[in-house]
């Protein structure tokens, strides 16, 4: 007699019982280890240092200074009416002053090399919501988006979980610094076709997570030509655009489109957020910028499920429409991130570890393949476990980013103080010294 | 966009599940192009289609001024800025969850306890409903919903989820009570059509009725869903808008606390601060489930619609202030009761009755006697008159899937006293104008809880009107007359 495992008697949906939320991946296991034994300078100096969290904590003082010198950002102005107006404001078009400020901030980040129309800015509660929302609009269940590897593990949930859409990887490897090639694009498209899956678009992250590098102009041109040829969409997640160490090195898809006089631009959509550049992930500020009117309208309607708190819109409208503040912030933030990057690269190099040459983001892409016992995924996970439990650093294994070659790890450097980073580097140094002695 | 490019979007995007193609948006458009303002536009359209609570902002403002530390941007609060700004844990700030649980308990007169660990955030109640639907239903599955119901459900529960709504028809003859027969009929109808029913969604207090489900009905509902083994989603978004205890509001939480046979895994509450506190802009939606798997699933899904940590912080501060909360709940109820009284008594003066109610931010107004004929077409015509001639945006019953024509939801809490006066004046004038020009119609029998039937009075009025046209009427001749001719 077979024993049937019963579903919970009043079943939940297939979406609910699936594992596409992705929390069973090792990416999150490291978090648990950290949560159980978090490093603290005084209270727990031998705890796990969190280097798996891409947060920007290097520029809070600039934000705090602004708040202290601009009390109007915190209050709702004089009288009951302005608080009331703000508390009642649930229009999915968003606060006009905030949309304007976002558009202008996005322009400033790109050094004025692209223009953004506030009417095309759609607001969502975080880039997480923005990516899911766009997927609902651009693809039907069972369809696919092509995503270059390695990619942000959260995409597995954001693009697929509730939408029923698939991800087909565009394989990139270290032979050419993981750049996206036309061959890889074609191969991914053909792979989908062979499985009878309809491809609806390509989603790139520029600057890349986890590579920490910007995509070159020529590659962007190729990608745009590819999607035009195949008549599919292009989503450019530019969440790290303000974290490029040197302004001139980042080229937004917006600039490419402007150079082409916006021909065929209705297939292009940009995702942005303030979580990384401003270090405000708790405020849930995401945007979709689309060159497609129907997408803007539909996205706006859908944003009803995920609007930004009007209280937060008001605060940020104040902050981001102050051009003096934003210019200064962007510049200083960049410099500080570059300094951190240089520090970690140098520290790793002196420990005998090389990283991919990066120029952006809150992390570096570290190559530990020489250390693998076996050049396999298992070998990588074994090494990752050592890093977690012996060295007590939570870093992200490349396999969680769907990379095909083992041994690469993403290491975040902006979510801690310089002192903590030094300690982390010392631990790595000691670990490498120990290994040399053991061999 | 070229036709070639149209096909580039998904079915969800190109369909009309967003719900905005409905004719009911005409009312909103009329308001938007010509909004009432006391001085700048005194002949504009008064918005009575928006269920907002604007009556208690002074209490909140007073609290905010006294508590600058509740904002992370003031000098008093900025020390907490960075910790809050980086806080994106989908469990939510513990103090936020505690404060919300506290408020929910107090609005239920502390007759129930809520576990803060079962509180899950979402992007407003809009986000909460969609999230629960994703969690409980597969595409094609259905929720039963008693009519009349909030039109937003059509979008929230169906658009991106692919779920369906099956109406549970409630009749005016028994004050739109939810009956066992109606539930069974709806359930069986779904079965016959091969539709799998996953749950029942009730709103208590009701939108648009403003009424409270009595204990008997709630118990009946609980036993129904247990028998059928389907989920029960209770939208209690109007819980703290209950302005009198006749009858008293009973939360589903109380029902299942009793010895009643109930599988708690079936029970889920949707809540929000948008109506009770008047903060729709802050997007504070809550899912409270007695089912651990649902709590876990919704928590993960809440990543798509978390409450801004800045707002969580403010709410945590405000709603953990017991003195403020108690004062707010009490005074808010009084303000709503007063406004409700003013409005319903004003309507009664011109023999317009409303369904007897003691909650919500609106009344369910009975205008069946003003319909040319008892059809939805006539209802739409009357509605157009109300928007365009009387210049009030009210919501026609058909937009709530009401089974019978002639009912309108009219919001009363989203304006100040002066605007309410103007609205009443316009209604009075309209009714008088209408009496002067309409021929008495055959009427259905009245509900016992409505006020006067005026068939006898009407004949007298018409006699008088023929002698005496008011030179001060703001309205031109009623188009109802023109239509008849």
């Amino acid at each position: 007699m077979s024993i049937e495992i019963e579903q919970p008697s009043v079943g939940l949906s297939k979406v609910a019982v699936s594992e596409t939320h992705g929390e069973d991946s090792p990416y999150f296991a490291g978090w648990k280890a950290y949560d159980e034994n978090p490093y603290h300078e005084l209270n727990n100096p031998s705890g796990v240092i969190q280097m798996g969290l891409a947060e920007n904590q290097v520029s809070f003082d600039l934000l705090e200074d602004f708040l202290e010198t601009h009390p109007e950002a915190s209050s709702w102005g004089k009288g009951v009416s302005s608080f009331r107006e703000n508390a009642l404001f649930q229009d999915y078009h968003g606060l006009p002053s905030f949309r304007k400020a976002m558009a202008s901030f996005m322009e400033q980040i790109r050094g004025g090399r692209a223009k953004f129309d506030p009417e095309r800015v759609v607001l969502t509660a975080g880039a997480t919501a923005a990516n899911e929302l766009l997927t609902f609009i651009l693809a039907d269940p069972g369809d696919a988006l092509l995503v270059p590897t390695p990619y942000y593990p959260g995409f597995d949930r954001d693009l697929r979980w509730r939408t029923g859409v698939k991800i087909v990887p565009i394989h990139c490897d270290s032979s050419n610094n993981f750049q996206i090639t036309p061959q890889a694009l074609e191969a991914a498209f053909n792979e989908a076709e062979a499985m009878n899956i309809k491809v609806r678009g390509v989603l790139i992250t520029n600057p890349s997570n986890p590579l920490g590098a910007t995509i070159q102009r020529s590659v962007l041109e190729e990608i745009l030509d590819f999607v035009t040829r195949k008549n599919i969409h292009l989503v450019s997640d530019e969440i790290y655009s303000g974290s490029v160490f040197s302004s001139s090195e980042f080229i937004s898809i917006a600039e490419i489109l402007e150079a082409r006089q916006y021909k065929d631009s209705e297939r292009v959509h940009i995702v942005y957020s303030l979580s990384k550049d401003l270090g405000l992930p708790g405020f849930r500020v995401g945007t979709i910028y689309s060159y497609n009117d129907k997408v803007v309208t539909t996205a706006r309607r859908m944003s009803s499920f995920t609007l930004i708190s009007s209280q937060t819109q008001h605060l940020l409208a104040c902050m981001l429409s102050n051009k003096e503040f934003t210019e200064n912030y962007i510049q200083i933030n960049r410099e500080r991130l570059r300094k951190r990057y240089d520090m970690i690269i140098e520290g790793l190099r002196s420990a005998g570890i090389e990283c991919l040459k990066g120029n952006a983001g809150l992390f570096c892409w570290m190559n530990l393949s020489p250390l693998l016992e076996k050049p396999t995924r298992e070998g990588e996970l074994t090494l990752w476990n050592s890093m977690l439990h012996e060295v007590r650093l939570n870093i992200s294994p490349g396999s969680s980013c769907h990379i095909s070659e083992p041994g690469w790890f993403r290491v975040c450097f902006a979510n801690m103080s310089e002192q903590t980073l030094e300690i982390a580097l010392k631990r790595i140094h000691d670990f490498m010294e120990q290994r040399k002695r053991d061999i | 966009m070229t036709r070639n490019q149209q096909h580039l979007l998904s079915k969800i995007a190109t369909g009309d599940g967003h719900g905005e193609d409905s004719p009911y948006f005409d009312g909103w458009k009329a308001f938007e192009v010509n909004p009432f303002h006391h001085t700048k536009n005194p002949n504009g359209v008064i918005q009575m289609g928006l269920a907002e609570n604007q009556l208690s902002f002074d209490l909140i403002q007073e609290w905010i001024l006294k508590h600058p530390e509740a904002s992370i941007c003031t000098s008093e609060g900025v020390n907490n800025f960075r910790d809050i700004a980086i806080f994106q844990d989908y469990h939510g700030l513990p103090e936020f969850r505690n404060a919300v649980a506290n408020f929910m308990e107090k609005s239920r007169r502390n007759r129930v306890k809520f576990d803060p660990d079962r509180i899950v955030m979402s992007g407003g109640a809009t986000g909460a409903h969609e999230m629960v639907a994703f969690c409980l239903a597969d595409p094609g599955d259905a929720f039963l919903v008693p009519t009349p119901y909030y039109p937003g459900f059509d979008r929230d529960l169906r658009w991106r989820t692919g779920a369906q709504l099956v109406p549970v028809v409630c009749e005016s003859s028994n004050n739109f009570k939810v009956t066992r027969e109606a539930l069974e009929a709806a359930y069986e109808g779904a079965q016959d059509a091969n539709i799998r029913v996953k749950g029942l969604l009730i709103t208590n207090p009701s939108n648009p009725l403003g009424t409270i489900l009595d204990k008997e009905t709630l118990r009946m509902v609980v036993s129904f869903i247990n028998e059928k083994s389907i989920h029960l989603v209770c939208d209690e978004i109007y819980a703290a808008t209950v302005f009198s205890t006749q009858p008293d509001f009973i939360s589903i939480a109380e029902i299942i606390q009793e010895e009643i046979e109930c599988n708690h895994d079936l029970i889920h509450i949707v809540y929000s601060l948008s109506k009770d506190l008047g903060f729709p802009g802050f997007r504070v939606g809550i899912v409270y489930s007695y089912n651990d798997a649902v709590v876990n699933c919704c928590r993960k899904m809440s990543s798509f619609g978390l409450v801004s940590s800045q707002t969580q912080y403010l709410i945590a501060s405000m709603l953990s202030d017991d003195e403020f909360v108690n004062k707010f709940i009490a005074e808010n109820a009084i303000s709503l009761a007063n406004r409700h009284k003013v409005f319903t008594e004003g309507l009664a003066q011109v023999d317009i009755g409303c369904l007897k109610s003691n909650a919500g931010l609106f009344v369910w107004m009975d205008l069946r006697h003003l319909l040319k004929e008892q059809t939805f077409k006539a209802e739409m015509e009357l509605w157009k008159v109300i928007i365009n001639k009387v210049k009030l945006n009210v919501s026609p019953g058909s937009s709530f899937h009401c089974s019978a024509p002639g009912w309108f939801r009219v919001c009363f809490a989203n304006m100040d006293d002066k605007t309410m006066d103007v609205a009443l004046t316009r209604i009075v004038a309209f009714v008088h104008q209408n009496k002067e020009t309409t021929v008495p119609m055959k009427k259905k029998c009245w509900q016992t809880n409505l006020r006067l039937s005026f068939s006898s009075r009407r004949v007298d009025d018409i006699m008088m009107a023929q002698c005496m046209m008011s030179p001060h009427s703001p309205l031109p001749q009623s188009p109802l007359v023109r239509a008849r001719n």
Side-chain angles (χ1 to χ4, degrees), chain A residues 1-21:
Chain A
M1 187 174 79
S2 67
I3 298 170
E4 276 179 41
I5 311 283
E6 266 188 62
Q7 288 278 353
S9 57
V10 270
L12 304 190
S13 64
K14 295 192 181 79
V15 163
V17 303
S18 83
E19 293 182 348
T20 320
H21 51 72

Side-chain angles (χ1 to χ4, degrees), chain B residues 117-152:
Chain B
D117 289 338
R118 293 194 170 282
I119 287 180
V120 179
M121 299 180 283
S122 60
T126 299
H129 276 294
E130 190 195 48
M131 193 160 81
V132 171
F134 266 121
C135 199
L136 303 181
D138 291 321
D141 288 347
F143 289 92
L144 305 181
V145 192
T147 66
Y149 65 79
Y150 162 60

Side-chain angles (χ1 to χ4, degrees), chain A residues 9-16 21 23 53 55 57 60-61 63-64 67-68 74 76 79-80 83-84 86-90 92 125 128-129 132-133 136-140 157-158 161-162 200 231-233 264 266-267 279-284 292 294-295 298 301-302 304-312 315, chain B residues 1 4-14 18 20 52 54 57 60-61 64 71-74 78 81-82 84-88 90 123 126-127 130-131 134-138 155-156 159-160 198 229-231 263 266 278-283 293-294 297 300-301 303-311 314:
Chain A
S9 57
V10 270
L12 304 190
S13 64
K14 295 192 181 79
V15 163
H21 51 72
E23 287 195 15
L53 189 49
E55 267 177 8
Q57 294 192 29
F60 275 124
D61 57 322
L63 301 175
E64 286 155 353
L67 293 173
E68 273 158 23
S74 63
W76 281 279
V80 194
F83 170 81
R84 180 179 59 217
N86 184 247
L88 290 173
F89 187 86
Q90 58 171 329
Y92 60 35
T128 298
E132 190 200 38
L133 201 148
F136 269 119
I137 291 177
L138 305 181
D140 292 308
R157 173 197 60 190
D158 301 348
W161 190 19
R162 304 192 305 182
R200 301 304 288 267
N231 197 21
I232 58 180
H233 292 277
D264 248 328
E266 286 110 348
R267 60 183 75 258
L280 305 173
F283 289 2
R284 313 315 300 146
N292 181 318
K294 175 99 176 142
V295 171
T298 307
R301 288 173 174 155
M302 258 188 210
S304 300
F305 299 112
T306 183
L307 297 173
I308 301 178
S309 168
S310 53
Q311 177 195 20
T312 301
L315 163 66
Chain B
M1 236 177 118
N4 174 46
Q5 283 154 343
Q6 270 283 68
H7 296 148
L8 281 182
L9 302 190
S10 68
K11 297 190 181 75
I12 286 176
T14 51
H18 51 74
E20 291 190 17
E52 273 176 358
Q54 293 195 30
F57 275 118
I60 293 175
Q61 176 77 357
I64 295 221
S71 163
I72 48 172
C73 310
T74 57
V78 78
F81 181 82
R82 59 178 77 184
I84 298 297
I86 56 174
F87 187 86
Q88 58 171 331
Y90 60 29
T126 299
E130 190 195 48
M131 193 160 81
F134 266 121
C135 199
L136 303 181
D138 291 321
R155 173 198 60 190
D156 301 347
W159 190 16
R160 303 192 301 181
K198 287 310 286 286
S229 222
I230 60 176
H231 293 277
N263 177 358
L266 297 174
F279 292 162
F282 292 175
R283 314 315 300 150
V294 171
C297 177
K300 295 178 168 99
M301 278 189 189
S303 300
F304 298 112
L306 296 172
V307 176
S308 165
S309 54
Q310 177 195 19
T311 301
L314 170 68

Side-chain angles (χ1 to χ4, degrees), chain B residues 124-393:
Chain B
T126 299
H129 276 294
E130 190 195 48
M131 193 160 81
V132 171
F134 266 121
C135 199
L136 303 181
D138 291 321
D141 288 347
F143 289 92
L144 305 181
V145 192
T147 66
Y149 65 79
Y150 162 60
F153 285 158
D154 288 328
R155 173 198 60 190
D156 301 347
L157 278 93
R158 299 184 321 163
W159 190 16
R160 303 192 301 181
T161 62
Q164 303 191 57
L165 294 183
V166 171
V168 176
V169 181
C170 301
E171 310 276 15
S172 58
S173 51
N174 70 342
N175 298 333
F176 301 97
K177 259 178 90 151
V178 180
T179 64
R180 181 85 193 204
E181 294 71 38
L183 286 171
E184 294 283 359
Y187 186 84
E188 269 153 49
Q191 303 277 75
D192 291 342
N194 257 325
I195 296 171
R196 187 167 72 155
V197 175
K198 287 310 286 286
L200 166 64
L201 167 64
I202 60 174
T203 306
N204 180 32
S206 162
N207 175 12
L209 304 176
T211 53
I212 282 163
L213 269 65
D214 58 55
K215 198 172 239 194
E216 217 178 73
T217 307
L218 284 169
R219 281 187 169 154
M220 180 276 292
V221 160
V222 167
S223 92
F224 174 80
I225 57 117
N226 268 277
E227 260 169 52
K228 307 293 190 210
S229 222
I230 60 176
H231 293 277
L232 178 62
V233 182
C234 298
D235 186 339
E236 297 193 345
I237 196 176
Y238 291 100
T241 66
V242 181
F243 50 80
S244 94
T245 52
Q246 312 289 339
D248 209 356
F249 167 63
I250 303 161
S251 165
I252 196 71
E254 290 177 60
I255 300 292
I256 65 170
Q257 254 176 196
E258 299 167 355
E259 318 84 55
I260 184 173
E261 287 267 332
C262 177
N263 177 358
H264 285 205
D265 277 347
L266 297 174
I267 311 292
H268 324 280
I269 298 176
V270 166
Y271 184 57
S272 159
L273 300 183
S274 300
K275 309 295 178 184
D276 289 347
L277 282 175
F279 292 162
F282 292 175
R283 314 315 300 150
V284 182
I286 301 290
V287 173
Y288 188 95
S289 177
Y290 292 87
N291 179 323
D292 291 346
V294 171
V295 170
N296 285 329
C297 177
C298 283
R299 197 168 272 143
K300 295 178 168 99
M301 278 189 189
S302 68
S303 300
F304 298 112
L306 296 172
V307 176
S308 165
S309 54
Q310 177 195 19
T311 301
Q312 287 186 53
Y313 189 80
L314 170 68
I315 298 297
S317 205
M318 194 184 280
L319 299 187
S320 53
D321 181 342
D322 280 349
E323 200 190 310
F324 167 76
V325 167
N326 290 330
K327 183 174 179 210
F328 180 90
I329 291 175
E331 291 190 25
N332 185 46
I334 293 171
S335 301
L336 287 171
N338 288 341
R339 183 56 73 80
H340 177 265
K341 187 162 185 277
V342 162
F343 190 52
T344 49
E345 284 181 357
L347 293 177
Q349 296 297 316
V350 286
D351 303 319
I352 293 179
C354 300
L355 189 68
K356 188 160 180 293
S357 65
N358 65 323
L361 307 173
F362 33 73
V363 293
W364 189 235
M365 185 169 73
D366 185 356
L367 294 187
R368 291 178 293 177
H369 58 292
L370 294 183
L371 292 185
K372 230 169 47 179
E373 52 192 24
Q374 299 300 308
T375 63
F376 286 109
K377 184 159 177 284
E379 179 185 280
M380 285 299 270
E381 282 170 15
L382 176 57
W383 178 59
K384 297 256 165 74
V385 168
I386 297 173
I387 294 177
N388 297 317
K389 302 295 175 199
V390 192
K391 304 257 179 60
L392 303 175
N393 180 32

Side-chain angles (χ1 to χ4, degrees), chain A residues 33 227 232 288 300 383 407:
Chain A
V227 299
I232 58 180
I288 294 170
R300 214 165 251 147
L383 179 57

Side-chain angles (χ1 to χ4, degrees), chain A residues 416-429:
Chain A
M416 62 192 73
S417 66
E418 271 190 31
Q419 291 79 7
T420 308
L421 183 54
E422 272 169 19
I423 298 198
L425 287 169
K426 176 151 196 324
R427 290 187 187 179
I428 294 175
H429 198 263

